[in-house]
Amino acid sequence: MPLIANTPVEKMAGPYPRRWWALIVLCLSLLIVVMANTSLIVAAPDMTTDLGLSSSDLQWVIDGYTVPYAALMLVLGSIGDKYSRRGALITGLVIFAGGSVMGSLVDETVLVITARAIMGVGAAVVMPATLSLLVATFPKRERTRAITAWTATSGLAIAVGPLVAGWLLEDHAWGSTFLINVPIAVVAVIGALVLIPPSKAEGMGRIDYVGGLLSIVSVGCLVYATIEGPHFGWGAGPIAAAVVAGVGLVAFVAWELRHPHPMLDVRKFRLRPFSGAMLAVLFFFFGTFGAIYYSTQYLQFVLGYDALATGVRLLPLAGAVFLGAAVTGQLTPKLGMRPMVVAGMLIGTAGVFLLTLVDKSSTYTDFLTPMMLLGFAIGLSVSPATDTIMGTFPEAELGVGGGANDTSMELGGSLGIAILGSLLGTAYKDKLTDLVGGQLPADALDTAKESVGGGLAVAEQLAKTPSTGPQQAQALVDAVNESFAHSVAHTSLIGGIIMAAGTLIVLAVLPGRRSADQHRPTREAEAEARDAKCSDSVQ
């Protein structure tokens, strides 16, 4: 057996023998892409203090990664199809590691945001490459299990990121959380060279760069407007970005309908399995990412857990993801995709609605059940939805398929964090104003209303001031905690309603099993034909 896999997977007579080892490499690559955001959640307080970040600065440290990540996946997935999916994976890992090293070394806000943007570009190459290589490497009979493992890795990263980052922050500065990615990226690059066979599209025509540019403009402006508008007001910038996104989307659809070899064949949205699965991923990550985002803040700021303790308390979520993945692996072949996706969305919606019960006396146990329901729902529904999306694309468009799936996932998560985060902030400000509006100086009140962290910082200053003393400081802490608990409950109600509406829409769009079998996706028919050919060759 050769040390380095050099035979293209498309030319092999049978399934690639080391495909399960290759899957480990793909999952490691996915792990660091997701961890890049989850580890930052617990590092954010230290970064804010050390760099003197404003609320806007911190938002763009987070979303400097998100914008290029979401905007570029479709185009970079297509380039990987054209030239080399394995080469794209390795290139993306190198870019990602380079951005991580830069982020660990710099000490200025602009440079940290730049480093995060470089990491976002690397992630935009890695994510579609992992899915396209997975589907190209595994025969159809094993692909569902492989995608289930890929999905479970995302849930693992949600907990592992904060846990490892919290452990590092015990003795090291926040820059160490960037370096988590580097050794994993190095191992993944070596693993890709040794274990992953080359793969690229056969007979693919010229890349539709005009369509790609329109997709970058549309998605990038949409994500920018979604982030900037709800958080910082709908000024000229966010409104202009929203208009450009709308015009760009119309132009993209018109161009793709006329192009002989479109970047993304928008006619696929007429296929109910594809459009339903894309909507499911969008709505699902809208609710779950938003809920995890503000629940983690509650654990840190209100309950007072440090970074490591917060990471430990997210581990049950990861365990629930694996449980859901095991269940969906057993039941999806028997029941079909639609029941599993809808059941997962219902369970996730229930988890979000449970957070409406949060109040100022809530403890970690009040978050445990909602977090486990969200984790179980991720494991249960994301894998069959992703499998359906990828099954819609032929061999020559696997990277585009991965880009479409991941764009829907990232866009949903961005919308959830931005919109629900904005509602959270508004509810917090209003409640805190009602509780302490006339009891603080105007400048102190403005700082306290900016965020729960700002409110606790003001309380800390009050405790050091002889004229106010610890009694007023404690009163402000109680008000901040009550206001944030109120905002979590209020935001969860709206998030749950949106997820419930999304579940009904997905239920209406996704076809039943018999209807889906009559309109089987292109990739599934192609894969079965390839498997049959491979079987004949082996015989």
Side-chain angles (χ1 to χ4, degrees):
M1 184 176 292
L3 178 62
I4 296 179
N6 280 323
T7 303
V9 69
E10 292 84 6
K11 297 183 182 300
M12 293 181 183
Y16 176 55
R18 291 190 286 178
R19 57 195 177 278
W20 294 105
W21 288 102
L23 179 62
I24 294 174
V25 177
L26 298 178
C27 287
L28 279 176
S29 304
L30 172 68
L31 185 73
I32 58 172
V33 167
V34 179
M35 278 175 52
N37 267 343
T38 59
S39 61
L40 189 67
I41 291 173
V42 296
D46 285 356
M47 293 180 68
T48 301
T49 301
D50 189 36
L51 298 175
L53 300 179
S54 66
S55 177
S56 176
D57 291 337
L58 179 59
Q59 189 66 38
W60 279 107
V61 167
I62 296 171
D63 294 316
Y65 179 81
T66 302
V67 173
Y69 180 22
L72 295 172
M73 276 191 284
L74 203 61
V75 176
L76 296 177
S78 180
I79 292 174
D81 282 338
K82 174 72 173 178
Y83 297 106
S84 172
R85 292 165 182 148
R86 185 178 71 172
L89 177 66
I90 293 170
T91 302
L93 288 168
V94 170
I95 294 171
F96 190 90
S100 299
V101 171
M102 177 181 173
S104 71
L105 297 175
V106 297
D107 58 1
E108 296 180 17
T109 302
V110 173
L111 294 178
V112 172
I113 295 172
T114 302
R116 290 276 296 169
I118 293 171
M119 292 169 65
V121 173
V125 186
V126 169
M127 276 291 275
T130 59
L131 263 182
S132 61
L133 282 165
L134 185 155
V135 176
T137 303
F138 281 84
K140 182 183 180 298
R141 63 182 180 273
E142 297 175 344
R143 183 163 34 110
T144 299
R145 289 167 57 197
I147 289 180
T148 299
W150 184 89
T151 301
T153 302
S154 298
L156 179 66
I158 292 173
V160 170
L163 182 65
V164 176
W167 173 68
L168 287 172
L169 290 170
E170 292 284 296
D171 299 308
H172 303 283
W174 56 264
S176 63
T177 61
F178 282 80
L179 291 177
I180 298 171
N181 310 308
V182 178
I184 302 176
V186 171
V187 170
V189 168
I190 296 171
L193 289 169
V194 174
L195 297 170
I196 296 178
S199 174
K200 67 178 182 178
E202 296 289 341
M204 181 178 173
R206 296 177 60 186
I207 294 176
D208 173 21
Y209 284 110
V210 173
L213 179 61
L214 289 171
S215 74
I216 291 171
V217 171
S218 301
V219 176
C221 288
L222 176 60
V223 173
Y224 171 83
T226 299
I227 293 167
E228 192 76 5
H231 278 283
F232 308 115
W234 289 96
I239 290 177
V243 171
V244 171
V247 173
L249 180 61
V250 171
F252 174 75
V253 172
W255 177 266
E256 298 299 274
L257 287 173
R258 296 179 58 188
H259 199 279
H261 302 288
M263 174 72 65
L264 173 65
D265 186 356
V266 294
R267 296 176 183 86
K268 291 184 186 295
F269 285 95
R270 297 175 183 171
L271 302 174
R272 290 172 61 191
F274 175 74
S275 56
M278 289 282 285
L279 285 170
V281 170
L282 181 78
F283 277 112
F284 190 79
F285 279 91
F286 174 92
T288 55
F289 269 45
I292 291 170
Y293 172 73
Y294 55 72
S295 296
T296 304
Q297 290 188 58
Y298 192 98
L299 296 181
Q300 287 186 278
F301 290 109
V302 177
L303 298 183
Y305 294 120
D306 62 20
L308 180 59
T310 300
V312 170
R313 282 161 177 78
L314 289 175
L315 284 176
L317 185 149
V321 172
F322 279 94
L323 179 61
V327 171
T328 202
Q330 294 294 319
L331 295 184
T332 301
K334 300 174 183 178
L335 302 179
M337 181 267 290
R338 185 181 187 229
M340 306 310 295
V341 170
V342 173
M345 293 188 71
L346 285 171
I347 293 170
T349 300
V352 176
F353 271 128
L354 275 179
L355 291 171
T356 62
L357 302 178
V358 169
D359 59 29
K360 62 181 179 181
S361 63
S362 293
T363 63
Y364 169 66
T365 55
D366 296 296
F367 287 82
L368 183 58
T369 298
M371 289 293 102
M372 292 187 70
L373 287 175
L374 289 171
F376 184 77
I378 290 172
L380 194 68
S381 64
V382 175
S383 174
T386 296
D387 194 12
T388 299
I389 291 168
M390 294 303 293
T392 310
F393 290 85
E395 180 74 33
E397 299 175 8
L398 292 180
V400 175
N405 177 83
D406 299 335
T407 299
S408 183
M409 185 184 299
E410 188 63 23
L411 185 59
S414 299
L415 287 168
I417 291 174
I419 294 175
L420 296 183
S422 175
L423 293 170
L424 183 83
T426 300
Y428 168 77
K429 289 177 184 177
D430 292 344
K431 185 67 175 178
L432 188 65
T433 301
D434 291 341
L435 292 175
V436 298
Q439 303 171 26
L440 291 175
D443 56 343
L445 181 61
D446 289 341
T447 302
K449 289 194 300 181
E450 186 173 316
S451 66
V452 60
L456 295 176
V458 170
E460 187 176 345
Q461 290 297 318
L462 289 176
K464 298 176 182 178
T465 304
S467 61
T468 54
Q471 187 173 357
Q472 187 175 359
Q474 185 58 50
L476 179 57
V477 169
D478 292 340
V480 167
N481 291 346
E482 181 178 349
S483 299
F484 196 71
H486 164 78
S487 64
V488 167
H490 174 77
T491 305
S492 297
L493 176 62
I494 298 174
I497 291 171
I498 294 173
M499 278 197 72
T503 302
L504 293 176
I505 293 171
V506 169
L507 179 64
V509 173
L510 283 177
R513 190 165 191 174
R514 181 177 300 177
S515 177
D517 288 342
Q518 293 173 353
H519 303 282
R520 290 194 318 156
T522 303
R523 173 65 189 169
E524 289 192 7
E526 189 180 274
E528 286 189 359
R530 187 185 71 179
D531 290 352
K533 182 179 178 181
C534 290
S535 178
D536 292 341
S537 299
V538 172
Q539 293 174 1

